mmCIF file of all heavy atoms in Angstrom:
data_model
loop_
_atom_site.group_PDB
_atom_site.id
_atom_site.type_symbol
_atom_site.label_atom_id
_atom_site.label_comp_id
_atom_site.label_asym_id
_atom_site.label_seq_id
_atom_site.Cartn_x
_atom_site.Cartn_y
_atom_site.Cartn_z
ATOM 1 N N TYR A 1 -101.624 -87.825 49.345
ATOM 2 C CA TYR A 1 -101.545 -89.310 49.273
ATOM 3 C C TYR A 1 -100.699 -89.834 48.066
ATOM 4 O O TYR A 1 -100.776 -90.987 47.742
ATOM 5 C CB TYR A 1 -102.933 -89.973 49.260
ATOM 6 C CG TYR A 1 -103.645 -89.824 50.575
ATOM 7 C CD1 TYR A 1 -104.474 -88.699 50.713
ATOM 8 C CD2 TYR A 1 -103.509 -90.640 51.693
ATOM 9 C CE1 TYR A 1 -105.186 -88.504 51.935
ATOM 10 C CE2 TYR A 1 -104.167 -90.493 52.883
ATOM 11 C CZ TYR A 1 -105.042 -89.430 53.008
ATOM 12 O OH TYR A 1 -105.647 -89.237 54.160
ATOM 13 N N GLU A 2 -100.044 -88.914 47.402
ATOM 14 C CA GLU A 2 -99.371 -89.245 46.215
ATOM 15 C C GLU A 2 -98.631 -90.590 46.167
ATOM 16 O O GLU A 2 -98.700 -91.350 45.218
ATOM 17 C CB GLU A 2 -98.222 -88.126 45.904
ATOM 18 C CG GLU A 2 -97.196 -88.396 45.018
ATOM 19 C CD GLU A 2 -96.069 -87.342 44.985
ATOM 20 O OE1 GLU A 2 -96.005 -86.602 45.933
ATOM 21 O OE2 GLU A 2 -95.407 -87.336 43.986
ATOM 22 N N HIS A 3 -97.764 -90.845 47.164
ATOM 23 C CA HIS A 3 -96.958 -92.031 47.239
ATOM 24 C C HIS A 3 -97.749 -93.344 47.545
ATOM 25 O O HIS A 3 -97.278 -94.420 47.334
ATOM 26 C CB HIS A 3 -95.761 -91.897 48.117
ATOM 27 C CG HIS A 3 -94.810 -90.832 47.640
ATOM 28 N ND1 HIS A 3 -94.210 -90.913 46.370
ATOM 29 C CD2 HIS A 3 -94.341 -89.769 48.274
ATOM 30 C CE1 HIS A 3 -93.432 -89.862 46.254
ATOM 31 N NE2 HIS A 3 -93.450 -89.131 47.362
ATOM 32 N N ILE A 4 -98.949 -93.142 48.118
ATOM 33 C CA ILE A 4 -99.745 -94.340 48.497
ATOM 34 C C ILE A 4 -100.633 -94.648 47.263
ATOM 35 O O ILE A 4 -101.824 -94.312 47.257
ATOM 36 C CB ILE A 4 -100.535 -94.159 49.748
ATOM 37 C CG1 ILE A 4 -99.568 -93.677 50.882
ATOM 38 C CG2 ILE A 4 -101.252 -95.385 50.228
ATOM 39 C CD1 ILE A 4 -100.286 -93.237 52.162
ATOM 40 N N ASN A 5 -99.964 -95.212 46.298
ATOM 41 C CA ASN A 5 -100.639 -95.369 44.986
ATOM 42 C C ASN A 5 -100.299 -96.821 44.518
ATOM 43 O O ASN A 5 -99.090 -97.117 44.437
ATOM 44 C CB ASN A 5 -100.036 -94.314 44.010
ATOM 45 C CG ASN A 5 -100.583 -94.386 42.621
ATOM 46 O OD1 ASN A 5 -100.945 -95.441 42.160
ATOM 47 N ND2 ASN A 5 -100.628 -93.265 41.902
ATOM 48 N N TYR A 6 -101.255 -97.615 44.241
ATOM 49 C CA TYR A 6 -101.090 -99.031 43.941
ATOM 50 C C TYR A 6 -100.962 -99.358 42.414
ATOM 51 O O TYR A 6 -100.745 -100.457 42.047
ATOM 52 C CB TYR A 6 -102.121 -99.849 44.534
ATOM 53 C CG TYR A 6 -102.457 -99.508 46.056
ATOM 54 C CD1 TYR A 6 -103.718 -99.151 46.421
ATOM 55 C CD2 TYR A 6 -101.358 -99.526 46.908
ATOM 56 C CE1 TYR A 6 -103.897 -98.771 47.752
ATOM 57 C CE2 TYR A 6 -101.592 -99.160 48.242
ATOM 58 C CZ TYR A 6 -102.808 -98.815 48.653
ATOM 59 O OH TYR A 6 -103.041 -98.381 49.947
ATOM 60 N N ILE A 7 -101.107 -98.332 41.654
ATOM 61 C CA ILE A 7 -101.089 -98.498 40.193
ATOM 62 C C ILE A 7 -99.903 -97.780 39.514
ATOM 63 O O ILE A 7 -99.629 -97.987 38.318
ATOM 64 C CB ILE A 7 -102.430 -98.101 39.517
ATOM 65 C CG1 ILE A 7 -102.731 -96.647 39.769
ATOM 66 C CG2 ILE A 7 -103.521 -99.045 39.894
ATOM 67 C CD1 ILE A 7 -103.962 -96.141 39.030
ATOM 68 N N GLY A 8 -99.145 -96.966 40.263
ATOM 69 C CA GLY A 8 -97.999 -96.261 39.712
ATOM 70 C C GLY A 8 -98.425 -95.130 38.872
ATOM 71 O O GLY A 8 -99.554 -94.919 38.509
ATOM 72 N N GLY A 9 -97.450 -94.239 38.509
ATOM 73 C CA GLY A 9 -97.735 -93.186 37.518
ATOM 74 C C GLY A 9 -98.610 -92.088 38.136
ATOM 75 O O GLY A 9 -99.522 -91.697 37.437
ATOM 76 N N HIS A 10 -98.230 -91.552 39.266
ATOM 77 C CA HIS A 10 -99.035 -90.459 39.834
ATOM 78 C C HIS A 10 -98.957 -89.264 38.868
ATOM 79 O O HIS A 10 -97.935 -88.909 38.330
ATOM 80 C CB HIS A 10 -98.435 -89.979 41.212
ATOM 81 C CG HIS A 10 -99.136 -88.711 41.712
ATOM 82 N ND1 HIS A 10 -100.309 -88.727 42.306
ATOM 83 C CD2 HIS A 10 -98.715 -87.465 41.627
ATOM 84 C CE1 HIS A 10 -100.633 -87.505 42.622
ATOM 85 N NE2 HIS A 10 -99.664 -86.716 42.201
ATOM 86 N N ALA A 11 -100.170 -88.634 38.654
ATOM 87 C CA ALA A 11 -100.211 -87.518 37.724
ATOM 88 C C ALA A 11 -100.691 -86.289 38.404
ATOM 89 O O ALA A 11 -101.495 -86.287 39.307
ATOM 90 C CB ALA A 11 -101.219 -87.867 36.582
ATOM 91 N N SER A 12 -100.026 -85.132 38.062
ATOM 92 C CA SER A 12 -100.280 -83.838 38.701
ATOM 93 C C SER A 12 -100.954 -82.862 37.613
ATOM 94 O O SER A 12 -100.530 -82.878 36.475
ATOM 95 C CB SER A 12 -98.975 -83.216 39.211
ATOM 96 O OG SER A 12 -98.387 -83.961 40.137
ATOM 97 N N MET A 13 -101.915 -82.167 38.059
ATOM 98 C CA MET A 13 -102.560 -81.221 37.084
ATOM 99 C C MET A 13 -101.561 -80.162 36.569
ATOM 100 O O MET A 13 -101.607 -79.756 35.406
ATOM 101 C CB MET A 13 -103.785 -80.583 37.764
ATOM 102 C CG MET A 13 -104.518 -79.523 36.938
ATOM 103 S SD MET A 13 -105.239 -80.312 35.464
ATOM 104 C CE MET A 13 -106.886 -80.852 36.226
ATOM 105 N N ALA A 14 -100.609 -79.740 37.467
ATOM 106 C CA ALA A 14 -99.675 -78.769 37.068
ATOM 107 C C ALA A 14 -98.706 -79.238 35.961
ATOM 108 O O ALA A 14 -97.889 -78.365 35.421
ATOM 109 C CB ALA A 14 -98.912 -78.176 38.290
ATOM 110 N N GLN A 15 -98.707 -80.477 35.649
ATOM 111 C CA GLN A 15 -97.742 -80.985 34.604
ATOM 112 C C GLN A 15 -98.067 -80.445 33.231
ATOM 113 O O GLN A 15 -97.248 -80.471 32.318
ATOM 114 C CB GLN A 15 -97.777 -82.500 34.587
ATOM 115 C CG GLN A 15 -99.008 -83.095 33.982
ATOM 116 C CD GLN A 15 -99.139 -84.610 34.018
ATOM 117 O OE1 GLN A 15 -98.229 -85.239 33.533
ATOM 118 N NE2 GLN A 15 -100.095 -85.084 34.805
ATOM 119 N N PHE A 16 -99.344 -79.949 32.992
ATOM 120 C CA PHE A 16 -99.797 -79.517 31.754
ATOM 121 C C PHE A 16 -99.446 -77.939 31.631
ATOM 122 O O PHE A 16 -99.721 -77.157 32.492
ATOM 123 C CB PHE A 16 -101.289 -79.661 31.553
ATOM 124 C CG PHE A 16 -101.712 -81.045 31.684
ATOM 125 C CD1 PHE A 16 -102.682 -81.413 32.689
ATOM 126 C CD2 PHE A 16 -101.234 -82.074 30.872
ATOM 127 C CE1 PHE A 16 -103.091 -82.684 32.841
ATOM 128 C CE2 PHE A 16 -101.634 -83.398 30.977
ATOM 129 C CZ PHE A 16 -102.602 -83.656 32.071
ATOM 130 N N ASP A 17 -98.692 -77.613 30.599
ATOM 131 C CA ASP A 17 -98.246 -76.239 30.430
ATOM 132 C C ASP A 17 -99.372 -75.261 30.490
ATOM 133 O O ASP A 17 -99.197 -74.135 31.060
ATOM 134 C CB ASP A 17 -97.498 -76.117 29.048
ATOM 135 C CG ASP A 17 -96.206 -76.774 29.054
ATOM 136 O OD1 ASP A 17 -95.660 -77.139 30.165
ATOM 137 O OD2 ASP A 17 -95.641 -77.071 27.957
ATOM 138 N N ASP A 18 -100.539 -75.628 29.952
ATOM 139 C CA ASP A 18 -101.642 -74.621 29.928
ATOM 140 C C ASP A 18 -102.387 -74.598 31.346
ATOM 141 O O ASP A 18 -103.347 -73.808 31.479
ATOM 142 C CB ASP A 18 -102.602 -74.945 28.816
ATOM 143 C CG ASP A 18 -103.092 -76.368 28.764
ATOM 144 O OD1 ASP A 18 -102.755 -77.161 29.712
ATOM 145 O OD2 ASP A 18 -103.750 -76.788 27.821
ATOM 146 N N MET A 19 -101.977 -75.466 32.246
ATOM 147 C CA MET A 19 -102.594 -75.390 33.634
ATOM 148 C C MET A 19 -101.561 -74.996 34.671
ATOM 149 O O MET A 19 -101.900 -74.784 35.836
ATOM 150 C CB MET A 19 -103.211 -76.748 33.943
ATOM 151 C CG MET A 19 -104.409 -77.081 33.125
ATOM 152 S SD MET A 19 -105.751 -75.821 33.238
ATOM 153 C CE MET A 19 -106.086 -75.827 35.012
ATOM 154 N N TYR A 20 -100.289 -74.975 34.378
ATOM 155 C CA TYR A 20 -99.307 -74.754 35.372
ATOM 156 C C TYR A 20 -99.480 -73.441 36.168
ATOM 157 O O TYR A 20 -99.355 -73.347 37.373
ATOM 158 C CB TYR A 20 -97.947 -74.715 34.691
ATOM 159 C CG TYR A 20 -96.734 -74.389 35.631
ATOM 160 C CD1 TYR A 20 -96.200 -75.404 36.421
ATOM 161 C CD2 TYR A 20 -96.141 -73.153 35.713
ATOM 162 C CE1 TYR A 20 -95.133 -75.178 37.298
ATOM 163 C CE2 TYR A 20 -95.178 -72.839 36.538
ATOM 164 C CZ TYR A 20 -94.643 -73.814 37.332
ATOM 165 O OH TYR A 20 -93.538 -73.582 38.182
ATOM 166 N N ASP A 21 -99.815 -72.331 35.415
ATOM 167 C CA ASP A 21 -99.956 -71.008 36.069
ATOM 168 C C ASP A 21 -101.315 -70.889 36.751
ATOM 169 O O ASP A 21 -101.531 -69.839 37.307
ATOM 170 C CB ASP A 21 -99.828 -69.907 35.009
ATOM 171 C CG ASP A 21 -98.395 -69.815 34.558
ATOM 172 O OD1 ASP A 21 -97.447 -70.074 35.374
ATOM 173 O OD2 ASP A 21 -98.149 -69.376 33.447
ATOM 174 N N ARG A 22 -102.140 -71.907 36.735
ATOM 175 C CA ARG A 22 -103.409 -71.825 37.396
ATOM 176 C C ARG A 22 -103.662 -72.899 38.387
ATOM 177 O O ARG A 22 -104.776 -73.122 38.858
ATOM 178 C CB ARG A 22 -104.564 -71.932 36.251
ATOM 179 C CG ARG A 22 -104.524 -70.766 35.326
ATOM 180 C CD ARG A 22 -105.347 -71.077 34.113
ATOM 181 N NE ARG A 22 -106.700 -71.436 34.481
ATOM 182 C CZ ARG A 22 -107.516 -72.034 33.656
ATOM 183 N NH1 ARG A 22 -107.215 -72.237 32.348
ATOM 184 N NH2 ARG A 22 -108.756 -72.401 34.044
ATOM 185 N N THR A 23 -102.520 -73.647 38.751
ATOM 186 C CA THR A 23 -102.709 -74.816 39.646
ATOM 187 C C THR A 23 -101.855 -74.575 40.900
ATOM 188 O O THR A 23 -100.585 -74.159 40.781
ATOM 189 C CB THR A 23 -102.264 -76.133 38.905
ATOM 190 O OG1 THR A 23 -103.091 -76.291 37.850
ATOM 191 C CG2 THR A 23 -102.368 -77.305 39.935
ATOM 192 N N ILE A 24 -102.450 -74.817 42.063
ATOM 193 C CA ILE A 24 -101.722 -74.794 43.321
ATOM 194 C C ILE A 24 -101.633 -76.239 43.744
ATOM 195 O O ILE A 24 -102.605 -76.935 43.992
ATOM 196 C CB ILE A 24 -102.417 -73.996 44.404
ATOM 197 C CG1 ILE A 24 -102.655 -72.521 43.850
ATOM 198 C CG2 ILE A 24 -101.644 -74.017 45.703
ATOM 199 C CD1 ILE A 24 -104.039 -72.197 43.564
ATOM 200 N N THR A 25 -100.398 -76.771 43.814
ATOM 201 C CA THR A 25 -100.148 -78.152 44.227
ATOM 202 C C THR A 25 -99.891 -78.237 45.676
ATOM 203 O O THR A 25 -98.966 -77.589 46.151
ATOM 204 C CB THR A 25 -98.936 -78.773 43.386
ATOM 205 O OG1 THR A 25 -99.191 -78.577 41.999
ATOM 206 C CG2 THR A 25 -98.779 -80.210 43.694
ATOM 207 N N VAL A 26 -100.667 -79.003 46.339
ATOM 208 C CA VAL A 26 -100.593 -79.042 47.814
ATOM 209 C C VAL A 26 -100.079 -80.469 48.224
ATOM 210 O O VAL A 26 -100.539 -81.502 47.650
ATOM 211 C CB VAL A 26 -102.029 -78.877 48.501
ATOM 212 C CG1 VAL A 26 -101.851 -79.063 50.062
ATOM 213 C CG2 VAL A 26 -102.561 -77.504 48.163
ATOM 214 N N ASN A 27 -99.065 -80.512 49.102
ATOM 215 C CA ASN A 27 -98.567 -81.757 49.533
ATOM 216 C C ASN A 27 -98.035 -81.695 50.956
ATOM 217 O O ASN A 27 -98.178 -80.681 51.582
ATOM 218 C CB ASN A 27 -97.403 -82.231 48.533
ATOM 219 C CG ASN A 27 -97.388 -83.717 48.419
ATOM 220 O OD1 ASN A 27 -97.573 -84.480 49.321
ATOM 221 N ND2 ASN A 27 -97.129 -84.236 47.114
ATOM 222 N N GLY A 28 -97.476 -82.824 51.426
ATOM 223 C CA GLY A 28 -96.959 -82.829 52.821
ATOM 224 C C GLY A 28 -96.358 -84.157 53.065
ATOM 225 O O GLY A 28 -96.299 -85.019 52.225
ATOM 226 N N VAL A 29 -95.986 -84.384 54.323
ATOM 227 C CA VAL A 29 -95.297 -85.580 54.672
ATOM 228 C C VAL A 29 -96.118 -86.453 55.688
ATOM 229 O O VAL A 29 -95.632 -87.522 56.083
ATOM 230 C CB VAL A 29 -93.982 -85.279 55.379
ATOM 231 C CG1 VAL A 29 -92.967 -84.583 54.370
ATOM 232 C CG2 VAL A 29 -94.122 -84.366 56.590
ATOM 233 N N SER A 30 -97.344 -86.093 55.989
ATOM 234 C CA SER A 30 -98.077 -86.768 57.036
ATOM 235 C C SER A 30 -98.314 -88.176 56.693
ATOM 236 O O SER A 30 -98.166 -89.136 57.530
ATOM 237 C CB SER A 30 -99.393 -86.116 57.276
ATOM 238 O OG SER A 30 -99.232 -84.812 57.851
ATOM 239 N N LYS A 31 -98.769 -88.473 55.425
ATOM 240 C CA LYS A 31 -99.264 -89.755 55.082
ATOM 241 C C LYS A 31 -98.194 -90.751 54.648
ATOM 242 O O LYS A 31 -98.001 -91.830 55.265
ATOM 243 C CB LYS A 31 -100.346 -89.677 54.010
ATOM 244 C CG LYS A 31 -101.398 -88.663 54.278
ATOM 245 C CD LYS A 31 -102.231 -88.877 55.544
ATOM 246 C CE LYS A 31 -103.293 -87.851 55.741
ATOM 247 N NZ LYS A 31 -104.090 -88.021 56.938
ATOM 248 N N ALA A 32 -97.442 -90.442 53.658
ATOM 249 C CA ALA A 32 -96.486 -91.398 53.116
ATOM 250 C C ALA A 32 -95.278 -91.613 54.087
ATOM 251 O O ALA A 32 -94.720 -92.702 54.118
ATOM 252 C CB ALA A 32 -95.951 -90.929 51.750
ATOM 253 N N PHE A 33 -94.961 -90.618 54.876
ATOM 254 C CA PHE A 33 -93.835 -90.767 55.838
ATOM 255 C C PHE A 33 -94.243 -91.057 57.213
ATOM 256 O O PHE A 33 -93.433 -91.083 58.127
ATOM 257 C CB PHE A 33 -92.976 -89.529 55.766
ATOM 258 C CG PHE A 33 -92.280 -89.299 54.457
ATOM 259 C CD1 PHE A 33 -92.829 -88.531 53.529
ATOM 260 C CD2 PHE A 33 -91.062 -89.892 54.137
ATOM 261 C CE1 PHE A 33 -92.198 -88.282 52.231
ATOM 262 C CE2 PHE A 33 -90.433 -89.734 52.943
ATOM 263 C CZ PHE A 33 -90.988 -88.922 51.989
ATOM 264 N N ALA A 34 -95.568 -91.247 57.468
ATOM 265 C CA ALA A 34 -96.097 -91.531 58.832
ATOM 266 C C ALA A 34 -95.624 -90.412 59.764
ATOM 267 O O ALA A 34 -95.101 -90.673 60.852
ATOM 268 C CB ALA A 34 -95.641 -92.882 59.370
ATOM 269 N N MET A 35 -95.939 -89.235 59.361
ATOM 270 C CA MET A 35 -95.515 -88.051 60.153
ATOM 271 C C MET A 35 -96.688 -87.069 60.525
ATOM 272 O O MET A 35 -96.499 -85.863 60.379
ATOM 273 C CB MET A 35 -94.383 -87.271 59.448
ATOM 274 C CG MET A 35 -93.110 -88.045 59.247
ATOM 275 S SD MET A 35 -91.875 -87.147 58.330
ATOM 276 C CE MET A 35 -91.332 -85.904 59.474
ATOM 277 N N THR A 36 -97.828 -87.723 60.719
ATOM 278 C CA THR A 36 -99.055 -86.881 60.994
ATOM 279 C C THR A 36 -98.854 -85.745 62.042
ATOM 280 O O THR A 36 -99.295 -84.610 61.899
ATOM 281 C CB THR A 36 -100.285 -87.683 61.335
ATOM 282 O OG1 THR A 36 -99.900 -88.515 62.384
ATOM 283 C CG2 THR A 36 -100.675 -88.584 60.174
ATOM 284 N N GLY A 37 -98.243 -86.122 63.178
ATOM 285 C CA GLY A 37 -98.132 -85.122 64.170
ATOM 286 C C GLY A 37 -96.954 -84.132 64.045
ATOM 287 O O GLY A 37 -96.923 -83.208 64.849
ATOM 288 N N TRP A 38 -96.139 -84.346 62.994
ATOM 289 C CA TRP A 38 -95.057 -83.437 62.787
ATOM 290 C C TRP A 38 -95.493 -82.063 62.222
ATOM 291 O O TRP A 38 -94.864 -81.073 62.239
ATOM 292 C CB TRP A 38 -93.964 -84.008 61.880
ATOM 293 C CG TRP A 38 -93.355 -85.288 62.540
ATOM 294 C CD1 TRP A 38 -93.922 -86.491 62.785
ATOM 295 C CD2 TRP A 38 -91.969 -85.405 62.873
ATOM 296 N NE1 TRP A 38 -93.014 -87.354 63.296
ATOM 297 C CE2 TRP A 38 -91.753 -86.724 63.373
ATOM 298 C CE3 TRP A 38 -90.847 -84.548 62.892
ATOM 299 C CZ2 TRP A 38 -90.558 -87.180 63.846
ATOM 300 C CZ3 TRP A 38 -89.604 -85.013 63.251
ATOM 301 C CH2 TRP A 38 -89.489 -86.330 63.783
ATOM 302 N N ARG A 39 -96.653 -82.146 61.536
ATOM 303 C CA ARG A 39 -97.387 -80.993 60.961
ATOM 304 C C ARG A 39 -96.498 -80.192 60.052
ATOM 305 O O ARG A 39 -96.211 -78.988 60.212
ATOM 306 C CB ARG A 39 -97.860 -80.074 62.134
ATOM 307 C CG ARG A 39 -98.621 -80.748 63.179
ATOM 308 C CD ARG A 39 -99.785 -81.641 62.729
ATOM 309 N NE ARG A 39 -100.744 -80.934 61.887
ATOM 310 C CZ ARG A 39 -101.221 -81.418 60.720
ATOM 311 N NH1 ARG A 39 -100.715 -82.556 60.242
ATOM 312 N NH2 ARG A 39 -102.027 -80.763 59.989
ATOM 313 N N ILE A 40 -96.184 -80.777 58.940
ATOM 314 C CA ILE A 40 -95.506 -80.102 57.855
ATOM 315 C C ILE A 40 -96.212 -80.358 56.462
ATOM 316 O O ILE A 40 -96.364 -81.408 56.085
ATOM 317 C CB ILE A 40 -94.014 -80.449 57.652
ATOM 318 C CG1 ILE A 40 -93.231 -80.108 58.934
ATOM 319 C CG2 ILE A 40 -93.444 -79.715 56.480
ATOM 320 C CD1 ILE A 40 -93.068 -78.636 59.246
ATOM 321 N N GLY A 41 -96.689 -79.299 55.891
ATOM 322 C CA GLY A 41 -97.272 -79.336 54.570
ATOM 323 C C GLY A 41 -96.607 -78.253 53.759
ATOM 324 O O GLY A 41 -95.931 -77.361 54.252
ATOM 325 N N TYR A 42 -96.908 -78.273 52.401
ATOM 326 C CA TYR A 42 -96.248 -77.268 51.554
ATOM 327 C C TYR A 42 -97.013 -77.105 50.272
ATOM 328 O O TYR A 42 -97.808 -77.999 49.868
ATOM 329 C CB TYR A 42 -94.760 -77.614 51.241
ATOM 330 C CG TYR A 42 -94.563 -78.986 50.682
ATOM 331 C CD1 TYR A 42 -94.612 -79.219 49.265
ATOM 332 C CD2 TYR A 42 -94.253 -80.056 51.508
ATOM 333 C CE1 TYR A 42 -94.428 -80.486 48.756
ATOM 334 C CE2 TYR A 42 -94.019 -81.317 50.948
ATOM 335 C CZ TYR A 42 -94.049 -81.562 49.621
ATOM 336 O OH TYR A 42 -93.906 -82.759 49.109
ATOM 337 N N ILE A 43 -96.773 -76.007 49.568
ATOM 338 C CA ILE A 43 -97.421 -75.738 48.261
ATOM 339 C C ILE A 43 -96.359 -75.392 47.261
ATOM 340 O O ILE A 43 -95.346 -74.808 47.620
ATOM 341 C CB ILE A 43 -98.531 -74.692 48.308
ATOM 342 C CG1 ILE A 43 -97.962 -73.244 48.694
ATOM 343 C CG2 ILE A 43 -99.641 -75.022 49.166
ATOM 344 C CD1 ILE A 43 -98.844 -72.150 48.466
ATOM 345 N N GLY A 44 -96.658 -75.725 46.005
ATOM 346 C CA GLY A 44 -95.949 -75.137 44.831
ATOM 347 C C GLY A 44 -97.035 -74.390 44.094
ATOM 348 O O GLY A 44 -98.079 -74.953 43.760
ATOM 349 N N ALA A 45 -96.805 -73.105 43.826
ATOM 350 C CA ALA A 45 -97.940 -72.281 43.271
ATOM 351 C C ALA A 45 -97.354 -71.191 42.450
ATOM 352 O O ALA A 45 -96.167 -70.874 42.424
ATOM 353 C CB ALA A 45 -98.769 -71.721 44.449
ATOM 354 N N PRO A 46 -98.222 -70.543 41.591
ATOM 355 C CA PRO A 46 -97.790 -69.284 40.959
ATOM 356 C C PRO A 46 -97.241 -68.334 41.969
ATOM 357 O O PRO A 46 -97.783 -68.226 43.059
ATOM 358 C CB PRO A 46 -99.113 -68.821 40.334
ATOM 359 C CG PRO A 46 -99.950 -70.051 40.122
ATOM 360 C CD PRO A 46 -99.649 -70.941 41.257
ATOM 361 N N GLU A 47 -96.225 -67.645 41.606
ATOM 362 C CA GLU A 47 -95.498 -66.819 42.640
ATOM 363 C C GLU A 47 -96.455 -65.803 43.322
ATOM 364 O O GLU A 47 -96.284 -65.619 44.483
ATOM 365 C CB GLU A 47 -94.365 -66.019 41.914
ATOM 366 C CG GLU A 47 -93.490 -65.306 42.932
ATOM 367 C CD GLU A 47 -92.206 -64.745 42.323
ATOM 368 O OE1 GLU A 47 -91.728 -65.336 41.322
ATOM 369 O OE2 GLU A 47 -91.740 -63.745 42.831
#
């Protein structure tokens, strides 16, 4: 729901250097782009 934010300044846990290698960031296009039925999600994660 990152982009559906009414106060601005979305923050991600992985932005902190000491948490980057321990955070799996999950996102997708269902909500902000109104694409629920298209079924595309993705992760950024430690390799």
Side-chain angles (χ1 to χ4, degrees):
Y1 291 92
E2 161 191 21
H3 293 304
I4 307 175
N5 179 329
Y6 311 124
I7 56 174
H10 173 80
S12 299
M13 180 64 86
Q15 72 186 298
F16 305 120
D17 290 343
D18 51 8
M19 291 303 301
Y20 177 82
D21 289 329
R22 297 166 51 193
T23 300
I24 303 106
T25 305
V26 179
N27 212 320
V29 295
S30 291
K31 310 302 182 180
F33 294 94
M35 296 178 71
T36 52
W38 297 67
R39 310 310 302 131
I40 297 292
Y42 54 87
I43 63 169
E47 185 172 334

